[in-house]
Amino acid sequence: MKPFDIVIVGGGGAGLYAAMEAMKTNPALNIAVLSKVYPNRSHTSAAQGGANAALGNKAKDDTIEMHIFDTIKGSDYLADQDAVEVLCSEAPKIIRELENIGTPWSRMEDNTIAQRPFGGAGRPRCCYCADKTGHTILQTLYEQCLRKGVLFFNEYFALNLSVNGSRSRGLIAMNMKTGKVEAFPAKTVIFATGGYAKMYWNRSSNAAGNTGDGQAIAYRAGIPMKDMEFVQFHPTGLRKSGLLVTEGARGEGGYLINKDGERFMVRYAKEKMELGPRDLVSRSIETEILEGRGFDSPAGKYIHLDLRHLGADLIKSRLPQIREMSLNFEGVDPIEEPIPVRPTAHYSMGGIDTDNFGRTIMDGVYAAGECACVSVHGANRLGGNSLLDILVFGRIVGHTAAEEAGKFAPATISELELKESVDELRNRMQPSGHYERYGALREELGQTLALNVGIFRESSLLHKGIQDISGLKERFKKVRVFDSSDVFNTNLMQVLELKNMLDLAETVAVGALAREESRGSHTRIDFPVRDDEKWHKHTLATLVDGKVLPGEKPVTMGRYELQERTY
Amino acid sequence: MTETIDQHQEGKRDVTFRVFRFNPQVDSKPYFDDYTISAERGITVLRSLNYIKEHVDATLSFRAFCQAGICGSCSMRVNGISKLACTSQVWEELDKCREPGIIKVEPLRSMPMIKDLIVDMDPLVDKMKRYANWIESTMPLDEMGKKEFLVSEEEFHRYDKATDCILCASCVSECSILRANKEYVSPAVLLKSYRMNVDSRDSIHDIRLAELVKDHGVWDCTHCYRCQESCVKSIPIMEAIHAIREDALECRGPKDTSGAKHAEAFMEDIEKKGKLVEATLPIRTNGMIWTLRNLLPMAMKMIVKRRTPPPPPLVKSAKGIKIFRAMFREMTEHVKQDHQKSHKK
């Protein structure tokens, strides 16, 4: 195949913005976007809430400064302040640019883009399109990429980077439609593959494919991961699937009830009750369950989200989506029965360690979006900042790669290297005596992570988690692919995804064990307070000789001094 | 091979999934496999398929991603209707089975097969490109990102519903025209074209419209409403198609294409006689030469079979034509006023 200047892995918000911006920066470049799904299927579409930008349409006194402060405070002071400054200063421009190229936005009375209040924000600055903001942004970006003639390789599954010393030569990927393993020699590779929270499996709100493929590939190529221990939990996921019941249910007045019929939030947030901040409500639910006041079922322990007192009319008119979801995924009509819920892994703050331009330590390798850790979210991401992150840094990384591609000589990937990748896949398909089911491993991984590396963490639990993960990695060697077909082998793909999750799970658990403090989404029972003296720093995880080598990196400070995070 | 999903709740029903199978590498033609499992209330078709793939037959192939009805990956035909597997309830489907207890699962129609329940989406993407399903912004390049367009809430509502489309292609699969003509624009692409054409930020309305009125375009729709009935997001797709046609008549005149002429001829007959003058309809739509060239053999056959429509002079006006004409005039007046109103806005 003809060598590329830029190969972008992932077709969500970050990947598509990177492609558009790279083409704009230098139209002569040969750019490709690889995605394991059609780009319009990407998980960006699931973001409902909106994107933060200090446009000042709703609150005239809103400023970029305030947005910066809210984000830094929300991050529990772990975000790099220069990166946050980039994020927030670029925000108004990028939202207007999206508006200019066709994203539909809900509107204010004066016909400007509508904004609404969001958790942790001092002013209403979340720009939205009804409850489908991510979906409409993704559609717009995909439409514009089609307009510009971006070259897409849809339904290609990325396998590994081709590396020569400290420099990447491109990517090796499998064409799902033919099963053929193909080389994508490229001067630069951008990872934009989304988050890794699906490793919590049915305790995660993520799409089935959010398995951290880009991070795992980069990790195996020796690129460090940063702050992997920070995983955000949303308080109300459905018991069986982990799918999200949006905050609206509690906003409209829903109760959280334990086995004893008690509105237990009274013990944790007497004033705000069910409407306390996400991490607090998540911890409260988890405490109830841990102390034996949850309901029990083979599908796991849970508590009740009770909407019945709101009445059929209100549920039907204001919460139709929540009702539909409960019916679809739990078989429960909230008008008649409470919804079984428990906290669900929702967002990964950690990811590939990059600088403010999306560069990694490896020449020619870049990352952006949830897959990267710049870091702008630190220990805890604010609602409305994830869409913004993928847009702003998607654009920056596209521009950077386009500018820097010229620095590198054209790359080639040898036939031998390609053959190694093929052989690795083939071996997996050879029948052997005793084998393991990938489905069982996947579920066990989710369970051990939720139990031992979940909302409450503690030394002995984390040791148990690490032990479980290494046990699963050992058993994974015996996982067999039953489908021997070359055409669209989803069996093989799911096995490879499991491998990616297992590799990354180890970095999450190791990072969580190392960080002996509680900060943002990371809560250690044995170290209940934030310890700025010892832990105001990023953690790194690098793969050396098959083992996680922990490292660290200072947090870039700026105008804002460390303060206690209270709301 | 009866297996169970979640045995913790009372009340489970046995269900057989009769699934379409085809692997082009080994199969000369498609066949069906039966998988029987036990499913409780609240289990979706997708969860069942996932279960079968994990526990019974790992070779069963289908797409699935978000599992929450927003990505559009898992569209397939369940009991003959195109829909998302992730939002379809097994128990509800059990009540719709043709054969009791057997839920039939097949791939979408009118799209090239790849394997089992997976079809090729590329033809749809190609059509999105052909009909310029994007905004060509009126904002100059060097002004981008500097200011917002001012868009009224009313304009937003014109395309709000249309932007719900997740390109699951259920409408494509259900469309009766596409089954006969693969080149037909397709309901999804018409919907998207409409959405772009009513957006004030767009600058290529006329170019897009010119493409839409060509062969295999907007005039080929036969109003069967199957697209709208099967839309997983309940989008009124037919309203969008009608709007494009009205727009075409208004912007390009009634003599523009055979589609426009056909609509015009319909109107004329209905106003004059209250019914169609079928004998001359093809001539008024496509002209004399085309009709002679293309329809003469069929006309001869019709004569032989005595199935020819009556010649125009013999078509009598429908009963109560006078009252009807008054109603007709009133209706057209209303439509005209509505148009003027919406233009003023």
Side-chain angles (χ1 to χ4, degrees), chain A residues 38 41 57 99-100 102-103 107 113 132 135 143-144 147 155 208 240 298 328-329 331 442 483 486-487 490, chain B residues 8 25 40-41 53-54 63 65 71 89 115 122 135-137 145 148 153 160 163-165 167 192 195 201:
Chain A
Y38 276 84
R41 311 278 183 233
N57 290 353
E99 194 274 346
N100 292 170
T103 305
R107 296 286 167 165
I113 296 170
K132 54 179 176 183
H135 163 74
E143 287 154 14
Q144 291 299 315
R147 177 172 85 89
E155 312 205 305
K240 287 182 193 166
N328 279 341
F329 303 112
R442 209 160 59 176
D483 192 344
D486 291 326
V487 182
T490 47
Chain B
H8 62 284
Q25 265 190 317
E40 65 178 56
R41 187 166 66 109
K53 186 171 179 65
E54 271 181 44
R63 290 192 186 100
F65 197 64
C71 83
Q89 286 291 310
K115 183 188 184 187
D122 283 349
I135 295 291
E136 191 86 47
S137 182
E148 296 174 29
E153 185 77 7
D160 177 21
T163 56
D164 283 356
C165 174
L167 294 170
K192 256 185 130 49
R195 172 257 175 278
R201 297 168 292 185

Short mmCIF file of all heavy atoms in Angstrom, two decimals, chain A residues 38 41 57 99-100 102-103 107 113 132 135 143-144 147 155 208 240 298 328-329 331 442 483 486-487 490, chain B residues 8 25 40-41 53-54 63 65 71 89 115 122 135-137 145 148 153 160 163-165 167 192 195 201:
data_model
loop_
_atom_site.label_atom_id
_atom_site.label_comp_id
_atom_site.label_asym_id
_atom_site.label_seq_id
_atom_site.Cartn_x
_atom_site.Cartn_y
_atom_site.Cartn_z
N TYR A 38 -18.31 1.71 11.47
CA TYR A 38 -18.55 2.88 10.61
C TYR A 38 -18.46 4.10 11.53
O TYR A 38 -19.00 4.08 12.64
CB TYR A 38 -19.93 2.79 9.96
CG TYR A 38 -19.91 1.96 8.71
CD1 TYR A 38 -20.03 0.59 8.77
CD2 TYR A 38 -19.74 2.56 7.46
CE1 TYR A 38 -19.97 -0.19 7.62
CE2 TYR A 38 -19.69 1.79 6.31
CZ TYR A 38 -19.80 0.43 6.39
OH TYR A 38 -19.74 -0.33 5.25
N ARG A 41 -21.06 5.29 13.94
CA ARG A 41 -21.47 4.42 15.05
C ARG A 41 -20.67 4.71 16.32
O ARG A 41 -20.95 4.13 17.37
CB ARG A 41 -21.24 2.94 14.70
CG ARG A 41 -21.78 2.51 13.36
CD ARG A 41 -23.26 2.20 13.43
NE ARG A 41 -23.78 1.72 12.18
CZ ARG A 41 -24.84 2.25 11.57
NH1 ARG A 41 -25.46 3.26 12.10
NH2 ARG A 41 -25.27 1.76 10.44
N ASN A 57 -23.77 33.18 26.20
CA ASN A 57 -25.11 33.37 25.62
C ASN A 57 -26.18 33.38 26.70
O ASN A 57 -27.14 34.14 26.63
CB ASN A 57 -25.42 32.25 24.62
CG ASN A 57 -24.60 32.36 23.36
OD1 ASN A 57 -23.87 33.33 23.18
ND2 ASN A 57 -24.69 31.37 22.50
N GLU A 99 -20.86 24.97 14.79
CA GLU A 99 -22.14 25.58 14.43
C GLU A 99 -22.08 26.06 12.98
O GLU A 99 -23.01 25.87 12.21
CB GLU A 99 -22.42 26.75 15.38
CG GLU A 99 -23.83 27.26 15.36
CD GLU A 99 -24.07 28.29 14.26
OE1 GLU A 99 -23.10 28.81 13.68
OE2 GLU A 99 -25.24 28.55 13.97
N ASN A 100 -20.96 26.63 12.61
CA ASN A 100 -20.81 27.17 11.25
C ASN A 100 -20.88 26.09 10.17
O ASN A 100 -21.27 26.35 9.05
CB ASN A 100 -19.46 27.91 11.11
CG ASN A 100 -19.40 29.20 11.93
OD1 ASN A 100 -18.35 29.79 12.07
ND2 ASN A 100 -20.54 29.63 12.48
N GLY A 102 -22.67 23.30 10.44
CA GLY A 102 -23.95 22.61 10.34
C GLY A 102 -24.47 21.85 11.54
O GLY A 102 -25.55 21.27 11.47
N THR A 103 -23.72 21.82 12.66
CA THR A 103 -24.29 21.11 13.82
C THR A 103 -25.57 21.81 14.27
O THR A 103 -25.57 23.04 14.44
CB THR A 103 -23.30 21.11 15.00
OG1 THR A 103 -22.07 20.55 14.55
CG2 THR A 103 -23.82 20.29 16.17
N ARG A 107 -31.66 26.46 20.59
CA ARG A 107 -31.42 27.90 20.51
C ARG A 107 -32.03 28.67 21.67
O ARG A 107 -33.04 28.28 22.22
CB ARG A 107 -31.97 28.44 19.18
CG ARG A 107 -31.28 27.88 17.95
CD ARG A 107 -29.91 28.46 17.75
NE ARG A 107 -29.14 27.71 16.75
CZ ARG A 107 -28.03 28.18 16.17
NH1 ARG A 107 -27.57 29.37 16.49
NH2 ARG A 107 -27.36 27.44 15.31
N ILE A 113 -26.81 30.07 20.32
CA ILE A 113 -26.74 28.69 20.81
C ILE A 113 -27.18 28.62 22.28
O ILE A 113 -26.74 29.43 23.10
CB ILE A 113 -25.30 28.15 20.69
CG1 ILE A 113 -24.88 28.07 19.21
CG2 ILE A 113 -25.16 26.78 21.34
CD1 ILE A 113 -23.41 27.78 18.99
N LYS A 132 -29.28 14.94 22.48
CA LYS A 132 -28.56 14.16 21.48
C LYS A 132 -27.32 14.92 20.98
O LYS A 132 -26.95 14.81 19.82
CB LYS A 132 -29.50 13.84 20.31
CG LYS A 132 -30.15 15.10 19.71
CD LYS A 132 -31.06 14.80 18.54
CE LYS A 132 -31.74 16.08 18.07
NZ LYS A 132 -32.69 15.90 17.00
N HIS A 135 -24.45 12.84 19.41
CA HIS A 135 -24.93 12.28 18.15
C HIS A 135 -24.89 13.30 17.02
O HIS A 135 -24.39 13.02 15.93
CB HIS A 135 -26.35 11.74 18.36
CG HIS A 135 -27.14 11.50 17.11
ND1 HIS A 135 -26.89 10.44 16.29
CD2 HIS A 135 -28.14 12.20 16.55
CE1 HIS A 135 -27.72 10.49 15.25
NE2 HIS A 135 -28.49 11.55 15.39
N GLU A 143 -20.36 13.98 8.15
CA GLU A 143 -20.83 14.62 6.91
C GLU A 143 -19.72 15.46 6.28
O GLU A 143 -19.47 15.40 5.07
CB GLU A 143 -22.04 15.52 7.21
CG GLU A 143 -23.34 14.77 7.52
CD GLU A 143 -24.29 15.59 8.40
OE1 GLU A 143 -24.07 16.82 8.55
OE2 GLU A 143 -25.23 15.01 8.94
N GLN A 144 -19.05 16.25 7.13
CA GLN A 144 -18.01 17.13 6.60
C GLN A 144 -16.82 16.33 6.08
O GLN A 144 -16.18 16.73 5.10
CB GLN A 144 -17.55 18.13 7.69
CG GLN A 144 -18.62 19.17 8.04
CD GLN A 144 -19.01 20.04 6.85
OE1 GLN A 144 -18.17 20.52 6.11
NE2 GLN A 144 -20.31 20.23 6.65
N ARG A 147 -17.75 15.20 2.77
CA ARG A 147 -17.68 16.33 1.85
C ARG A 147 -16.25 16.56 1.38
O ARG A 147 -15.99 16.82 0.21
CB ARG A 147 -18.19 17.60 2.56
CG ARG A 147 -18.09 18.86 1.72
CD ARG A 147 -18.79 20.03 2.39
NE ARG A 147 -17.95 20.72 3.33
CZ ARG A 147 -17.14 21.74 3.02
NH1 ARG A 147 -17.07 22.17 1.77
NH2 ARG A 147 -16.41 22.32 3.93
N GLU A 155 -14.37 -0.52 9.36
CA GLU A 155 -14.36 -1.89 9.84
C GLU A 155 -12.99 -2.53 9.63
O GLU A 155 -12.85 -3.62 9.09
CB GLU A 155 -15.52 -2.68 9.21
CG GLU A 155 -16.81 -1.88 9.33
CD GLU A 155 -18.10 -2.69 9.33
OE1 GLU A 155 -18.34 -3.40 8.48
OE2 GLU A 155 -18.89 -2.59 10.16
N ALA A 208 -19.92 -1.68 23.67
CA ALA A 208 -19.19 -2.95 23.76
C ALA A 208 -17.76 -2.83 23.25
O ALA A 208 -16.88 -3.57 23.65
CB ALA A 208 -19.93 -4.03 22.98
N LYS A 240 -28.43 -5.01 35.21
CA LYS A 240 -27.98 -6.09 34.33
C LYS A 240 -26.96 -5.65 33.31
O LYS A 240 -26.02 -6.37 32.99
CB LYS A 240 -29.18 -6.68 33.57
CG LYS A 240 -30.08 -7.52 34.42
CD LYS A 240 -31.19 -8.07 33.55
CE LYS A 240 -32.29 -8.66 34.43
NZ LYS A 240 -33.50 -8.91 33.64
N PRO A 298 -28.60 -12.88 41.29
CA PRO A 298 -27.43 -13.45 40.60
C PRO A 298 -26.78 -12.46 39.65
O PRO A 298 -25.60 -12.56 39.36
CB PRO A 298 -28.01 -14.64 39.83
CG PRO A 298 -29.26 -14.97 40.53
CD PRO A 298 -29.81 -13.68 41.05
N ASN A 328 -36.91 -1.76 28.30
CA ASN A 328 -36.10 -2.50 27.33
C ASN A 328 -35.03 -3.36 27.96
O ASN A 328 -34.75 -4.45 27.48
CB ASN A 328 -35.42 -1.53 26.35
CG ASN A 328 -36.35 -1.08 25.25
OD1 ASN A 328 -37.36 -1.74 25.00
ND2 ASN A 328 -36.02 0.01 24.60
N PHE A 329 -34.39 -2.83 28.99
CA PHE A 329 -33.20 -3.51 29.48
C PHE A 329 -33.35 -4.17 30.85
O PHE A 329 -32.48 -4.91 31.27
CB PHE A 329 -32.01 -2.56 29.46
CG PHE A 329 -31.76 -1.97 28.09
CD1 PHE A 329 -31.96 -0.63 27.83
CD2 PHE A 329 -31.37 -2.79 27.05
CE1 PHE A 329 -31.75 -0.11 26.56
CE2 PHE A 329 -31.15 -2.28 25.78
CZ PHE A 329 -31.35 -0.93 25.53
N GLY A 331 -36.88 -4.89 31.92
CA GLY A 331 -38.24 -5.43 31.94
C GLY A 331 -39.07 -4.83 33.07
O GLY A 331 -40.00 -5.45 33.55
N ARG A 442 -14.15 -12.37 30.20
CA ARG A 442 -14.58 -10.98 30.08
C ARG A 442 -15.45 -10.60 31.27
O ARG A 442 -15.29 -9.55 31.88
CB ARG A 442 -15.39 -10.88 28.78
CG ARG A 442 -15.39 -9.60 28.09
CD ARG A 442 -15.79 -9.78 26.65
NE ARG A 442 -17.13 -10.36 26.48
CZ ARG A 442 -17.70 -10.52 25.28
NH1 ARG A 442 -17.06 -10.16 24.19
NH2 ARG A 442 -18.89 -11.06 25.19
N ASP A 483 -14.54 -19.51 15.51
CA ASP A 483 -14.89 -19.16 14.14
C ASP A 483 -13.61 -19.15 13.30
O ASP A 483 -12.69 -18.38 13.57
CB ASP A 483 -15.54 -17.76 14.13
CG ASP A 483 -16.21 -17.45 12.79
OD1 ASP A 483 -15.90 -18.16 11.81
OD2 ASP A 483 -17.01 -16.51 12.73
N ASP A 486 -12.58 -16.21 7.53
CA ASP A 486 -11.85 -14.96 7.30
C ASP A 486 -12.81 -13.78 7.26
O ASP A 486 -12.43 -12.65 7.58
CB ASP A 486 -11.10 -15.01 5.96
CG ASP A 486 -9.95 -16.01 6.02
OD1 ASP A 486 -9.34 -16.13 7.09
OD2 ASP A 486 -9.68 -16.64 4.99
N VAL A 487 -14.04 -14.04 6.84
CA VAL A 487 -14.99 -12.96 6.63
C VAL A 487 -15.63 -12.53 7.95
O VAL A 487 -16.23 -13.34 8.65
CB VAL A 487 -16.11 -13.40 5.65
CG1 VAL A 487 -17.08 -12.26 5.40
CG2 VAL A 487 -15.51 -13.90 4.36
N THR A 490 -16.11 -11.81 14.02
CA THR A 490 -16.33 -11.03 15.25
C THR A 490 -15.85 -11.82 16.47
O THR A 490 -15.53 -11.23 17.50
CB THR A 490 -17.81 -10.67 15.42
OG1 THR A 490 -18.60 -11.84 15.20
CG2 THR A 490 -18.23 -9.60 14.44
N HIS B 8 -32.60 -16.06 37.92
CA HIS B 8 -33.02 -15.63 39.24
C HIS B 8 -34.45 -15.14 39.34
O HIS B 8 -34.95 -14.90 40.40
CB HIS B 8 -32.07 -14.55 39.77
CG HIS B 8 -32.06 -13.32 38.93
ND1 HIS B 8 -31.42 -13.26 37.72
CD2 HIS B 8 -32.65 -12.12 39.14
CE1 HIS B 8 -31.61 -12.05 37.24
NE2 HIS B 8 -32.34 -11.35 38.05
N GLN B 25 -17.58 -17.78 2.33
CA GLN B 25 -16.40 -18.63 2.14
C GLN B 25 -16.75 -20.10 1.97
O GLN B 25 -16.04 -20.83 1.29
CB GLN B 25 -15.47 -18.48 3.33
CG GLN B 25 -14.38 -17.46 3.11
CD GLN B 25 -13.34 -17.53 4.22
OE1 GLN B 25 -13.70 -17.65 5.38
NE2 GLN B 25 -12.08 -17.47 3.84
N GLU B 40 -36.08 -14.61 30.19
CA GLU B 40 -37.02 -13.98 31.11
C GLU B 40 -37.49 -12.64 30.53
O GLU B 40 -36.97 -12.16 29.53
CB GLU B 40 -36.33 -13.73 32.44
CG GLU B 40 -35.21 -12.72 32.31
CD GLU B 40 -34.55 -12.42 33.63
OE1 GLU B 40 -34.08 -13.35 34.27
OE2 GLU B 40 -34.51 -11.23 34.00
N ARG B 41 -38.48 -12.06 31.21
CA ARG B 41 -38.98 -10.76 30.80
C ARG B 41 -37.86 -9.73 30.86
O ARG B 41 -37.03 -9.76 31.77
CB ARG B 41 -40.10 -10.34 31.75
CG ARG B 41 -40.85 -9.11 31.37
CD ARG B 41 -42.13 -9.01 32.19
NE ARG B 41 -41.83 -8.81 33.61
CZ ARG B 41 -42.04 -7.66 34.26
NH1 ARG B 41 -42.56 -6.65 33.66
NH2 ARG B 41 -41.76 -7.56 35.55
N LYS B 53 -23.98 -16.38 20.98
CA LYS B 53 -22.61 -16.32 20.47
C LYS B 53 -21.59 -16.77 21.52
O LYS B 53 -20.64 -17.48 21.22
CB LYS B 53 -22.29 -14.89 20.01
CG LYS B 53 -20.93 -14.77 19.32
CD LYS B 53 -20.74 -13.41 18.71
CE LYS B 53 -19.39 -13.27 18.03
NZ LYS B 53 -19.22 -14.15 16.88
N GLU B 54 -21.82 -16.37 22.77
CA GLU B 54 -20.86 -16.72 23.82
C GLU B 54 -20.97 -18.16 24.28
O GLU B 54 -19.98 -18.78 24.64
CB GLU B 54 -21.09 -15.81 25.04
CG GLU B 54 -20.30 -14.52 24.98
CD GLU B 54 -20.53 -13.68 26.22
OE1 GLU B 54 -20.53 -14.26 27.33
OE2 GLU B 54 -20.74 -12.47 26.08
N ARG B 63 -23.44 -7.37 13.94
CA ARG B 63 -22.82 -6.16 14.47
C ARG B 63 -23.57 -5.71 15.72
O ARG B 63 -24.79 -5.83 15.78
CB ARG B 63 -22.89 -5.01 13.46
CG ARG B 63 -22.01 -5.15 12.24
CD ARG B 63 -21.99 -3.81 11.52
NE ARG B 63 -21.28 -3.86 10.26
CZ ARG B 63 -21.87 -3.95 9.08
NH1 ARG B 63 -23.19 -4.03 8.99
NH2 ARG B 63 -21.14 -3.95 7.98
N PHE B 65 -22.87 -2.50 18.99
CA PHE B 65 -21.88 -1.61 19.59
C PHE B 65 -22.42 -0.99 20.88
O PHE B 65 -22.13 -1.46 21.96
CB PHE B 65 -21.43 -0.57 18.57
CG PHE B 65 -20.15 0.11 18.92
CD1 PHE B 65 -18.96 -0.59 19.02
CD2 PHE B 65 -20.12 1.48 19.16
CE1 PHE B 65 -17.77 0.03 19.36
CE2 PHE B 65 -18.93 2.12 19.50
CZ PHE B 65 -17.75 1.40 19.60
N CYS B 71 -26.46 3.94 18.40
CA CYS B 71 -25.41 3.86 17.37
C CYS B 71 -25.91 3.29 16.05
O CYS B 71 -25.33 3.55 15.00
CB CYS B 71 -24.20 3.08 17.88
SG CYS B 71 -24.36 1.29 17.74
N GLN B 89 -37.69 -6.35 22.51
CA GLN B 89 -37.93 -7.27 23.61
C GLN B 89 -38.29 -8.66 23.11
O GLN B 89 -39.17 -8.81 22.26
CB GLN B 89 -39.10 -6.74 24.46
CG GLN B 89 -38.74 -5.55 25.31
CD GLN B 89 -37.79 -5.94 26.41
OE1 GLN B 89 -38.00 -6.90 27.14
NE2 GLN B 89 -36.69 -5.21 26.51
N LYS B 115 -22.03 -11.44 5.76
CA LYS B 115 -22.00 -12.71 6.49
C LYS B 115 -23.14 -12.72 7.51
O LYS B 115 -23.34 -11.72 8.21
CB LYS B 115 -20.66 -12.86 7.21
CG LYS B 115 -20.47 -14.17 7.94
CD LYS B 115 -19.18 -14.07 8.75
CE LYS B 115 -18.85 -15.36 9.45
NZ LYS B 115 -17.71 -15.17 10.34
N ASP B 122 -21.74 0.30 2.66
CA ASP B 122 -21.07 1.22 1.73
C ASP B 122 -22.00 1.84 0.68
O ASP B 122 -21.88 3.04 0.40
CB ASP B 122 -19.89 0.54 1.05
CG ASP B 122 -18.69 0.44 1.98
OD1 ASP B 122 -18.73 1.08 3.04
OD2 ASP B 122 -17.72 -0.28 1.66
N ILE B 135 -23.66 20.05 5.00
CA ILE B 135 -23.85 21.50 4.86
C ILE B 135 -22.62 22.09 4.16
O ILE B 135 -21.49 21.82 4.55
CB ILE B 135 -24.01 22.15 6.26
CG1 ILE B 135 -25.29 21.66 6.95
CG2 ILE B 135 -23.99 23.69 6.16
CD1 ILE B 135 -26.57 22.16 6.33
N GLU B 136 -22.88 22.83 3.11
CA GLU B 136 -21.81 23.61 2.47
C GLU B 136 -22.03 25.02 3.01
O GLU B 136 -22.93 25.73 2.56
CB GLU B 136 -22.01 23.54 0.94
CG GLU B 136 -20.86 24.05 0.13
CD GLU B 136 -19.78 23.00 -0.13
OE1 GLU B 136 -20.11 21.87 -0.51
OE2 GLU B 136 -18.61 23.36 0.06
N SER B 137 -21.23 25.37 4.00
CA SER B 137 -21.54 26.55 4.80
C SER B 137 -21.44 27.86 4.02
O SER B 137 -20.57 28.02 3.16
CB SER B 137 -20.62 26.61 6.01
OG SER B 137 -20.95 27.71 6.82
N GLY B 145 -15.64 30.08 13.00
CA GLY B 145 -15.32 30.03 14.42
C GLY B 145 -15.34 31.38 15.10
O GLY B 145 -15.17 31.48 16.31
N GLU B 148 -21.40 33.20 15.53
CA GLU B 148 -22.45 32.22 15.31
C GLU B 148 -23.40 32.72 14.23
O GLU B 148 -23.59 33.91 14.08
CB GLU B 148 -23.31 32.05 16.58
CG GLU B 148 -22.59 31.49 17.76
CD GLU B 148 -23.49 31.50 19.00
OE1 GLU B 148 -24.73 31.41 18.85
OE2 GLU B 148 -22.95 31.61 20.11
N GLU B 153 -35.42 29.21 16.87
CA GLU B 153 -35.87 27.94 17.41
C GLU B 153 -36.82 27.28 16.41
O GLU B 153 -36.85 26.07 16.25
CB GLU B 153 -36.57 28.19 18.76
CG GLU B 153 -36.99 26.94 19.52
CD GLU B 153 -35.84 26.22 20.23
OE1 GLU B 153 -34.72 26.77 20.27
OE2 GLU B 153 -36.08 25.12 20.73
N ASP B 160 -35.03 19.42 13.48
CA ASP B 160 -34.74 18.73 14.75
C ASP B 160 -34.99 17.23 14.64
O ASP B 160 -34.12 16.40 14.88
CB ASP B 160 -35.61 19.35 15.85
CG ASP B 160 -35.44 18.67 17.20
OD1 ASP B 160 -34.41 18.01 17.38
OD2 ASP B 160 -36.33 18.80 18.06
N THR B 163 -32.73 15.20 12.35
CA THR B 163 -31.36 14.94 12.81
C THR B 163 -31.32 13.84 13.87
O THR B 163 -30.26 13.52 14.37
CB THR B 163 -30.68 16.21 13.38
OG1 THR B 163 -31.49 16.75 14.42
CG2 THR B 163 -30.47 17.25 12.31
N ASP B 164 -32.49 13.26 14.19
CA ASP B 164 -32.49 12.09 15.08
C ASP B 164 -31.97 10.84 14.37
O ASP B 164 -31.67 9.84 14.99
CB ASP B 164 -33.92 11.78 15.57
CG ASP B 164 -34.36 12.74 16.67
OD1 ASP B 164 -33.54 13.57 17.08
OD2 ASP B 164 -35.53 12.64 17.10
N CYS B 165 -31.91 10.90 13.04
CA CYS B 165 -31.58 9.71 12.24
C CYS B 165 -30.21 9.16 12.65
O CYS B 165 -29.23 9.89 12.71
CB CYS B 165 -31.57 10.05 10.76
SG CYS B 165 -30.98 8.67 9.75
N LEU B 167 -28.90 6.46 10.99
CA LEU B 167 -28.44 5.71 9.82
C LEU B 167 -28.41 4.20 10.07
O LEU B 167 -27.47 3.52 9.66
CB LEU B 167 -27.05 6.19 9.39
CG LEU B 167 -27.00 7.63 8.85
CD1 LEU B 167 -25.55 8.08 8.70
CD2 LEU B 167 -27.70 7.73 7.51
N LYS B 192 -32.07 12.95 4.95
CA LYS B 192 -30.89 13.77 5.19
C LYS B 192 -30.83 14.95 4.21
O LYS B 192 -30.46 16.06 4.58
CB LYS B 192 -29.63 12.92 5.09
CG LYS B 192 -29.02 12.59 6.46
CD LYS B 192 -27.72 11.85 6.33
CE LYS B 192 -26.58 12.42 7.15
NZ LYS B 192 -26.81 12.71 8.55
N ARG B 195 -33.13 17.54 5.41
CA ARG B 195 -32.58 18.22 6.57
C ARG B 195 -31.57 19.31 6.14
O ARG B 195 -31.52 20.38 6.71
CB ARG B 195 -31.93 17.18 7.50
CG ARG B 195 -31.14 17.72 8.66
CD ARG B 195 -29.65 17.61 8.37
NE ARG B 195 -28.82 18.23 9.39
CZ ARG B 195 -28.56 19.54 9.45
NH1 ARG B 195 -29.11 20.36 8.57
NH2 ARG B 195 -27.80 20.04 10.36
N ARG B 201 -28.13 27.78 6.89
CA ARG B 201 -26.67 27.96 6.85
C ARG B 201 -26.06 27.34 5.59
O ARG B 201 -24.88 27.51 5.31
CB ARG B 201 -26.04 27.30 8.08
CG ARG B 201 -26.45 27.91 9.38
CD ARG B 201 -26.04 27.08 10.57
NE ARG B 201 -26.76 25.81 10.65
CZ ARG B 201 -26.64 24.95 11.64
NH1 ARG B 201 -25.81 25.19 12.63
NH2 ARG B 201 -27.34 23.83 11.65
#
